[in-house]
């Protein structure tokens, strides 16, 4: 059994992740913190309330960062809809929230239950960086910290990767996270999530199921499908955040990984978090900052994970 604290910028795939975690018998959602990203922080909080209400979950919710450590927030309304759930007009009142902030909740829970909880970060890493300011040893008190973000090692020449949005939205926070001491930090990046596809067949299976979770999961899909059809010419989506949750619960979904220092680097246009290795295991051709080892996932059993995701939501 994994006891999971979820930090989320509750967009469409974040909502899918909460549905998936709630449906897994080996997972308990202990608490949820909100952050900006896929939508504004207030919308992320409203969406947490909506999804937990749908699931009948009563867990602590704390509001987190509304913007990066520096500069204004970039909100991905063109991907998830302005409200984060596809702009379908759901009634989303603010849920009851804790008096403490999201970072304060992350610190308190880790100190109350050291070594028992896993932290799953699905959005920009601002809350985690703010929590580290309160407790620099925070990650050593979580059983593991698993984040959806990063780009793996340097890709083979000529390879293009999907945008590393969670890192790019707050590179300063990401640098603090990858430099922090930890028990285990796992990076599930776009190098593996982009190829973990919920295809037409899987979407049809969800639509045909009729369970409340599957019905909600498919009704919020249209905005996401509208965006990704421009990437691949098909109405399919990558399971970014759900894959990170799957690997937290079942590390065997990862079929290859490498451990080593991760740096956050910008090219003047975008920032990415990368393992400081080339695709063939060599160090990069430039100096880099030392950092504690991060487990960087480099290959996954996408077919098995997608089958499990569909089975859990249609159960």
């Amino acid at each position: 059994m994994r006891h999971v604290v979820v930090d989320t910028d509750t967009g469409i795939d974040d909502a899918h992740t909460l549905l998936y975690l709630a449906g897994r018998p080996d997972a308990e959602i202990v608490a949820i913190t909100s952050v900006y990203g896929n939508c504004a922080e207030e919308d992320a909080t409203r969406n947490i309330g909506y999804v937990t209400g749908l699931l009948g979950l009563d867990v602590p919710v704390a509001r987190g960062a509304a913007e990066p450590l520096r500069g204004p927030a970039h909100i991905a309304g063109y991907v998830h809809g302005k409200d984060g759930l596809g702009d379908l007009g759901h009634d989303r009142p603010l849920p009851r929230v804790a008096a403490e902030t999201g970072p304060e909740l992350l610190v308190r829970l880790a100190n109350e239950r050291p070594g028992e909880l896993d932290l799953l970060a699905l959005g920009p890493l601002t809350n985690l960086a703010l929590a580290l300011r309160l407790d620099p040893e925070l990650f050593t008190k979580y059983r593991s910290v698993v984040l959806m973000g990063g780009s793996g090692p340097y890709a083979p020449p000529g390879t293009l990767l999907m945008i590393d949005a969670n890192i790019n939205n707050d590179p300063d926070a990401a640098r603090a996270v990858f430099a922090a001491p930890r028990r285990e930090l796992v990076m599930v990046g776009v190098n593996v999530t982009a190829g973990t596809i919920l295809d037409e067949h899987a979407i049809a299976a969800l639509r045909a199921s009729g369970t409340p979770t599957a019905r909600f999961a498919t009704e919020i899909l249209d905005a996401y499908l509208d965006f990704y059809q421009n990437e691949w010419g098909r109405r399919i989506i990558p399971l970014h955040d759900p894959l990170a949750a799957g690997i937290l619960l079942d590390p065997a979904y990862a079929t290859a990984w490498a451990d080593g220092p991760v740096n956050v680097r910008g090219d003047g246009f975008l920032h990415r978090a990368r393992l400081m290795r080339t695709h063939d295991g060599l160090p990069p051709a430039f100096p880099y900052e030392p950092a504690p080892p991060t487990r960087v996932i480099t290959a996954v059993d996408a077919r098995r994970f997608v089958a499990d995701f569909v089975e859990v939501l249609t159960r």
Side-chain angles (χ1 to χ4, degrees), residues 7 35-36 65-69 103 123-131 169-170 173-174:
D7 183 69
V35 69
Y36 70 92
E67 60 185 8
L69 298 179
L125 298 175
T126 314
N127 283 341
L128 275 66
L130 292 171
N169 280 347
D170 196 343

Side-chain angles (χ1 to χ4, degrees), residues 20-76:
Y20 175 71
L21 287 171
R24 284 279 301 240
D26 53 352
E28 176 200 14
I29 299 174
V30 173
I32 309 174
T33 56
S34 64
V35 69
Y36 70 92
N38 292 330
C39 53
E41 181 278 325
E42 181 177 317
D43 283 310
T45 304
R46 291 179 184 275
N47 295 345
I48 291 168
Y50 187 85
V51 176
T52 54
L54 177 72
L55 293 167
L57 286 179
D58 183 13
V59 299
V61 175
R63 298 186 65 170
E67 60 185 8
L69 298 179
R70 293 189 296 167
H74 175 82
I75 303 300

Side-chain angles (χ1 to χ4, degrees), residues 104-106 131 163 183 189 191 199 209 225 230 279 303:
E104 289 169 343
L105 179 64
L106 297 181
I163 185 172
R183 183 177 299 208
N191 56 306
D199 64 12
S209 152
L225 293 167
N230 295 311
H279 71 283
R303 183 185 299 272

Side-chain angles (χ1 to χ4, degrees), residues 228-235:
Y228 278 107
Q229 70 184 2
N230 295 311
E231 187 77 21
W232 293 307
R234 294 168 58 188
R235 291 184 68 76

